[in-house]
Amino acid sequence: MSGSPRIDAGTGAGARRDRPARMPQQRPHWAADPLRELADRLGESVPAAVHPDEIAAILESDGMTDDHIRLTYGREDSFALAEDLFARVPRTGPPPRPEPPPPAAVPWRAGLAGCLLRGLVFALPGLAYVLGAPFLADAAGEGRGLPAGTDVLLVGALAGWAWNQALAHRAYAWLGLGDRASAARALLIGAPAGALLGTAAALAVTGPGEGAALAFATAQAVYQGAATALLVLARDRLLLYALTPMALGALLTLALDVPVVVRAALLAVSGAAVLALAGREVLRAGKVRRGSARAASNPRAACGPSLWRSLPYGIFGLATGVLVLYAVLQNLLGPGTTGVVAAPGAVALTLSMGPAEWLLYRFRRGCDAGLRASTAHSAFRRAATLTLARCLGGYLVVLLALLAATTVLWIGAPVPDTTRAAGLLFIGVMLWTGLLLQAFGAVAVAATVCAVAALLQTAALFTGPAVTGTVALAVPGVASAVLAVLVCVLLGRATAHRP
């Protein structure tokens, strides 16, 4: 017969059968007391027990068998040992009931107001072109129906866009390692280098009579670096305050004939404010003592993030920049057209980046909830796919509403036809799904798809107008579908969402 106690259904699960009393074995005076050692090891659970059965349950959960108890402590079973412990150790009563823990923070929560603010500061710099239009009017045309100086501004903007995407990733990587000083140093070195790169790229395509466009492109490159520093250091509101004079002046030009001197002054004030605030915040961040506790505990902080890991982010930034410019400037590629046709699409796409960021957080939050609620892989994949459909559908609704609003409010802008609206929506899908893959570390995949699409769009410029128009719609359509499928495949796995 086993030495385990017999459970009596009539007296409860914790009852034990009656058995003859057995005297504990005598312990020599020189030997250690195993019962005292056991009580010390069990800690506060023994004096806090209100019944021997509570101690017996603790002993059994500790893995003690009856054979082990008989050999080690000289008692018949866990109940006998529990009774001895209960009798020997003074009672202290149950411990005070702890305060209820604070409610757990909801993961991946982001304020909608903060995301909308970022979308606004992304869109406001576009008003600088409205305010500075007279300074570009004297340059020579480009021969393809483009406004004067457009190529100078676009090439400089694309170079700065790509560089600052990679720079932002490197600075964020330092911040993730807990080294704010190194992040500030990366911005302090990288932002001026990006300004030089943007100026050099614009200079390479500057033609006769385009000196004003080159000066504007230089200011644009300086702004891009300074704004990147403020955004990385989470100083969005400072950037908004600095851009306010320029934005108000641009809106004023829609109703009044603002003198050129006033236009130049407003541009200079906002530009100088952005540059000064960025310099101040970077220097402040650089004064943080390097080697904080978090950085010291992270072995990766010793050598820093790899430069090569930032390269795909730069390629992704360049490719998406090219695609966005093709989408919003496709109306400029025909003779006799003006930039006002493309303005509503550009503003709508830029403003949509705020809600897009908020919906990225919503996707991660929804997948986190699905991960906790699902018990099978197929159930989680279904939940992730439904979350993707809701978030992506919500973004397209927002983008379409912004396109309609900007078209109505923009004076002189024609209503975009179905083809151009569909092309803009496809570009929006590419941007959102690409940013989503980038957020989960699959930036190389997103950069590859977007780069191929940008190359195809560029190659189509050297073909006939019919081919160009077809490619302008087919390429972003196919690329957006590929990215959406990749999101379902890569992010439909539970392992992609675990920390």
Side-chain angles (χ1 to χ4, degrees):
M1 294 292 292
S2 171
S4 301
R6 179 177 61 85
I7 303 299
D8 189 349
T11 59
R16 59 185 177 88
R17 63 182 176 85
D18 296 333
R19 57 181 181 277
R22 177 174 178 177
M23 296 298 295
Q25 298 178 359
Q26 295 296 323
R27 175 180 56 85
H29 66 86
W30 45 265
D33 186 356
L35 209 61
R36 180 176 295 279
E37 293 179 354
L38 176 62
D40 293 339
R41 184 168 65 85
L42 295 178
E44 295 296 326
S45 57
V46 175
V50 297
H51 193 276
D53 286 352
E54 295 184 28
I55 304 177
I58 295 173
L59 296 174
E60 291 177 357
S61 66
D62 202 39
M64 290 191 182
T65 63
D66 290 345
D67 291 338
H68 172 74
I69 290 173
R70 281 193 293 269
L71 291 174
T72 306
Y73 302 103
R75 272 56 171 186
E76 182 68 21
D77 51 29
S78 59
F79 291 98
L81 181 58
E83 289 174 354
D84 287 348
L85 286 171
F86 187 80
R88 173 177 292 200
V89 179
R91 303 294 94 216
T92 61
R97 179 172 297 180
E99 293 292 330
V106 179
W108 305 114
R109 179 183 291 276
L112 179 59
C115 294
L116 293 178
L117 174 63
R118 291 178 72 88
L120 184 60
V121 297
F122 291 155
L124 283 182
L127 296 176
Y129 300 104
V130 177
L131 198 61
F135 305 108
L136 307 175
D138 294 335
E142 300 301 325
R144 290 181 58 88
L146 291 171
T150 300
D151 59 343
V152 178
L153 297 177
L154 294 187
V155 170
L158 287 175
W161 200 336
W163 177 271
N164 286 291
Q165 285 283 325
L167 174 61
H169 170 262
R170 181 157 181 82
Y172 277 126
W174 276 117
L175 291 175
L177 294 176
D179 196 340
R180 192 173 179 84
S182 294
R185 186 166 53 254
L187 293 171
L188 188 62
I189 297 174
L196 290 176
L197 176 64
T199 302
L203 180 61
V205 296
T206 300
E210 294 183 336
L214 177 61
F216 203 96
T218 301
Q220 173 184 258
V222 173
Y223 167 80
Q224 285 179 318
T228 298
L230 287 174
L231 291 172
V232 169
L233 296 176
R235 297 296 185 264
D236 308 37
R237 291 186 182 276
L238 293 180
L239 182 56
L240 176 63
Y241 299 152
L243 291 174
T244 300
M246 178 271 300
L248 293 178
L251 295 176
L252 191 62
T253 60
L254 300 178
L256 301 175
D257 185 14
V258 180
V260 174
V261 176
V262 177
R263 291 171 179 260
L266 291 172
L267 287 172
V269 167
S270 285
V274 172
L275 185 59
L277 289 172
R280 186 190 70 176
E281 295 302 320
V282 169
L283 292 177
R284 280 183 176 179
K287 292 180 181 179
V288 177
R289 184 174 61 87
R290 189 178 181 186
S292 62
R294 183 180 176 189
S297 62
N298 195 336
R300 290 179 56 195
C303 56
S306 171
L307 287 171
W308 290 105
R309 295 193 63 182
S310 299
L311 181 61
Y313 292 85
I315 296 175
F316 178 76
L318 178 61
T320 54
V322 170
L323 292 170
V324 168
L325 289 176
Y326 281 147
V328 300
L329 298 179
Q330 57 181 311
N331 293 304
L332 300 179
L333 299 178
T337 56
T338 61
V340 72
V341 180
V347 174
L349 199 58
T350 308
L351 285 174
S352 72
M353 289 297 99
E357 183 179 353
W358 184 74
L359 287 168
L360 290 178
Y361 281 98
R362 291 285 297 180
F363 175 81
R364 302 201 73 161
R365 181 181 171 187
C367 288
D368 183 78
L371 187 63
R372 288 184 277 108
S374 302
T375 57
H377 175 72
S378 58
F380 172 74
R381 182 178 288 276
R382 184 165 54 252
T385 303
L386 290 175
T387 302
L388 173 65
R390 286 195 298 267
C391 293
L392 183 55
Y395 173 69
L396 291 178
V397 169
V398 170
L399 179 57
L400 194 59
L402 288 173
L403 178 60
T406 52
T407 301
V408 171
L409 296 176
W410 200 275
I411 300 174
V415 178
D417 57 31
T418 305
T419 301
R420 292 190 176 96
L424 189 69
L425 293 179
F426 285 144
I427 294 296
V429 173
M430 291 183 63
L431 280 175
W432 194 82
T433 53
L435 290 173
L436 184 58
L437 289 171
Q438 176 180 297
F440 280 88
V443 61
V445 175
T448 301
V449 175
C450 291
V452 171
L455 288 174
L456 291 176
Q457 288 275 55
T458 304
L461 294 178
F462 300 96
T463 60
V467 177
T468 302
T470 303
V471 171
L473 185 62
V475 168
V478 173
S480 61
V482 170
L483 287 173
V485 171
L486 287 173
V487 169
C488 292
V489 173
L490 297 178
L491 305 187
R493 300 176 299 182
T495 52
H497 300 266
R498 288 172 180 159

